[in-house]
């Protein structure tokens, strides 16, 4: 059997806890280390999730030669800095979304990974989920004809707190980078890069986008209609409308779902494709990283670095249209 991968996590927050819960279900993963800025927080997290070691600084964990792979789970604005630091220690890195705050930062991360000859992956877990890969397979089979348009949304009502990660501009707040990124990556995955982008947003009192609507169009005539909001719960589902039928991914499309639905227009035939035992969904990206390491690969085919660059370029363009500025990064 191949060697187990020793995982380290940077930042003992909410998503780190969910990721650790899923990681514990993978036999090839060893829950090795957690790093927090706070010693008691690291110790609590280690005890709760069964990590062997707890570090009270991020860098001290990276100095441990036993750590093979690092999951970065800090707020957006630190992703670039923490990724560069982990790559400097030659750790394989999977970093939470958004990968960074802008394209320049992503370019720096990719260049560092290449210079260090080290694995780097954007934690776009949605692209590793079986139902998304199945939808792609159905589209590529041609069964439904060509894609005409894609529609996806993501919205929930967030408690307004100007100091929270979601509303504080200094922590990278806003709907676009936090949740709008999912409809956007969905359209990028199915349609590729658009030729024209039109975006409008409601900018709130903390100068972040509380709501954002995006329309993408392609020289091929295809379109994408995308929406994110922190002000209301929306269906958070996705449709891929094709010439002969559509695929519907029910709420919440970016997470594991129990089924996807296909409707063929001619005879109104509905097919349900079920998905079982998918867990909370983070194990797929973790497994992808470990598979790549076992195969000696430096990047994932499921989430290639070019995809991350393309996605960030779209985010940059949308931000420039809606006037969303992150002063410490832009
Ligand atoms: N893939 C997904 O489904 C998903 C879901 C939620 C969030 N995320 C992403 O994961 C990242 C973290 O989100 P979260 O919801 O887990 O946030 P969170 O609960 O606030 O946790 C972030 C952690 O980052 C560390 N940190 C370092 N510097 C910080 C600072 N100045 N302020 C606050 N925290 C700081 C803290 O850990 P220590 O105190 O232990 O150092 C904190 O617990 C975000 O970029 C978000 O986009 C992804």
């Amino acid at each position: 059997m191949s060697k187990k991968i020793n995982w380290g996590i940077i930042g003992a927050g909410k998503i780190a806890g969910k990721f650790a819960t899923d990681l514990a279900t993978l036999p090839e993963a060893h829950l090795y280390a957690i790093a927090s800025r706070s010693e008691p927080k690291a110790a609590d997290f280690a005890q709760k999730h069964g990590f062997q070691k707890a570090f009270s600084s991020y860098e001290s964990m990276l100095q441990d030669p036993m750590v093979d792979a690092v999951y970065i789970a800090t707020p957006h604005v630190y992703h670039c800095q923490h990724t560069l630091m982990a790559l400097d220690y030659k750790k394989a890195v999977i970093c939470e979304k958004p990968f960074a705050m802008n394209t320049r930062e992503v370019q720096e991360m990719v260049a560092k990974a290449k210079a260090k000859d080290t694995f780097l992956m954007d934690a776009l877990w949605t692209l590793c989920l079986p139902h998304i890969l199945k939808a792609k397979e159905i589209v590529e089979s041609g069964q439904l004809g060509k894609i005409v348009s894609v529609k996806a949304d993501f919205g929930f009502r967030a408690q307004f707190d100007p100091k929270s990660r979601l509303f504080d501009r200094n922590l990278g707040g806003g709907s676009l980078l936090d949740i709008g990124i999912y409809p956007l990556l969905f359209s990028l995955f199915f349609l590729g890069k658009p030729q024209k982008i039109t975006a409008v947003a409601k900018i709130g009192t903390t100068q972040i986008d509380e709501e954002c609507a995006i329309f993408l169009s392609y020289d091929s005539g295809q379109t994408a209609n995308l929406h994110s909001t922190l002000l209301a719960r929306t269906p958070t589902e996705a449709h891929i409308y094709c010439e002969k039928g559509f695929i519907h991914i029910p709420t919440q499309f970016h997470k594991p779902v129990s089924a996807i639905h296909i409707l063929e227009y001619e005879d109104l035939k509905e097919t349900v494709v079920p998905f079982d035992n998918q867990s909370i969904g983070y194990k797929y990206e973790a497994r992808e990283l470990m598979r790549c390491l076992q195969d000696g690969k430096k990047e994932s085919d499921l989430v290639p670095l070019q995809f991350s660059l393309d996605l960030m370029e779209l985010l940059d363009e949308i931000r420039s249209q809606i006037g969303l500025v992150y002063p410490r990064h832009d």
Side-chain angles (χ1 to χ4, degrees):
M1 202 181 92
S2 329
K3 162 188 174 300
K4 279 198 178 204
I5 302 291
N6 284 332
W7 280 86
I9 296 183
I10 287 187
K14 286 196 284 294
I15 193 63
K18 290 187 186 172
F19 185 85
T21 302
D22 234 16
L23 200 56
T25 67
L26 298 175
E28 66 272 41
H30 179 212
L31 278 61
Y32 178 68
I34 175 72
S36 169
R37 297 162 305 165
S38 143
E39 199 170 338
K41 200 172 157 190
D44 283 354
F45 191 99
Q47 207 211 3
K48 180 171 177 203
H49 294 284
F51 281 78
Q52 191 177 324
K53 288 193 161 185
F55 290 89
S56 57
S57 92
Y58 300 157
E59 190 148 9
S60 58
M61 184 186 85
L62 295 173
Q63 285 164 349
D64 184 332
M66 292 297 287
V67 174
D68 300 312
V70 172
Y71 170 61
I72 293 171
T74 48
H76 315 345
V77 288
Y78 301 107
H79 289 174
C80 176
Q81 179 193 333
H82 293 152
T83 295
L84 295 178
M85 187 163 72
L87 289 171
D88 268 330
Y89 285 96
K90 292 204 58 126
K91 307 300 184 191
V93 172
I94 180 165
C95 176
E96 259 308 337
K97 43 60 55 178
F99 210 22
M101 294 303 289
N102 54 43
T103 304
R104 185 185 44 72
E105 290 187 355
V106 175
Q107 284 167 339
E108 208 182 334
M109 290 151 69
V110 171
K112 174 74 80 178
K114 298 232 183 308
K116 293 283 172 185
D117 195 26
T118 300
F119 181 88
L120 175 62
M121 177 179 169
D122 196 345
L124 300 178
W125 62 309
T126 302
L127 297 186
C128 302
L129 297 176
H131 73 279
I132 296 288
L133 297 173
K134 184 67 187 175
K136 183 82 161 182
E137 188 189 309
I138 295 166
V139 167
E140 286 179 350
S141 76
Q143 171 193 345
L144 300 176
K146 285 196 189 122
I147 297 178
V148 174
S149 64
V150 161
K151 189 172 179 199
D153 71 286
F154 195 149
F156 68 96
R157 183 149 182 89
Q159 179 76 36
F160 180 71
D161 172 0
K163 293 200 168 61
S164 72
R165 188 177 73 65
L166 287 179
F167 289 94
D168 184 349
R169 183 157 72 145
N170 292 328
L171 288 176
S175 84
L176 178 66
L177 292 194
D178 200 61
I179 52 178
I181 193 169
Y182 286 105
L184 194 62
L185 72 85
F186 188 82
S187 66
L188 184 61
F189 186 60
F190 284 97
L191 290 173
K193 277 184 97 176
Q195 277 68 56
K196 191 161 176 233
I197 301 168
T198 311
V200 286
K202 175 184 183 295
I203 302 292
T205 52
T206 59
Q207 304 308 313
I208 56 87
D209 69 299
E210 294 179 345
E211 180 155 17
C212 185
I214 304 162
F215 189 77
L216 306 178
S217 48
Y218 296 77
D219 286 348
S220 58
Q222 294 163 307
T223 59
N225 198 336
L226 316 171
H227 177 226
S228 60
T229 177
L230 300 174
L231 303 176
R233 179 157 185 113
T234 68
T236 308
E237 58 187 9
H239 284 88
I240 306 164
Y241 298 105
C242 304
E243 293 165 323
K244 296 188 231 167
F246 68 73
I247 301 173
H248 172 220
I249 306 180
T251 191
Q252 291 179 294
F253 77 91
H254 70 295
K255 289 181 169 177
V257 294
S258 54
I260 63 173
H261 305 257
I262 303 164
L263 187 90
E264 290 176 67
Y265 305 140
E266 197 174 305
D267 49 5
L268 293 183
K269 184 175 125 200
E270 191 181 349
T271 310
V272 178
V273 185
F275 296 90
D276 296 327
N277 298 323
Q278 290 192 78
S279 81
I280 45 178
Y282 300 105
K283 72 177 183 188
Y284 296 97
E285 59 179 0
R287 194 188 274 157
E288 170 66 1
L289 177 145
M290 292 190 285
R291 194 180 57 77
C292 289
L293 291 197
Q294 307 286 14
D295 293 350
K297 294 172 73 171
K298 299 297 180 295
E299 78 177 281
S300 156
D301 293 332
L302 287 183
V303 192
L305 293 169
Q306 188 57 51
F307 189 93
S308 306
L309 283 161
D310 290 347
L311 182 61
M312 195 53 72
E313 279 175 21
L314 292 181
L315 289 167
D316 282 357
E317 171 57 26
I318 293 163
R319 287 208 296 117
S320 90
Q321 289 191 20
I322 63 176
L324 176 60
V325 177
Y326 295 108
R328 296 180 185 172
H329 295 261
D330 294 336

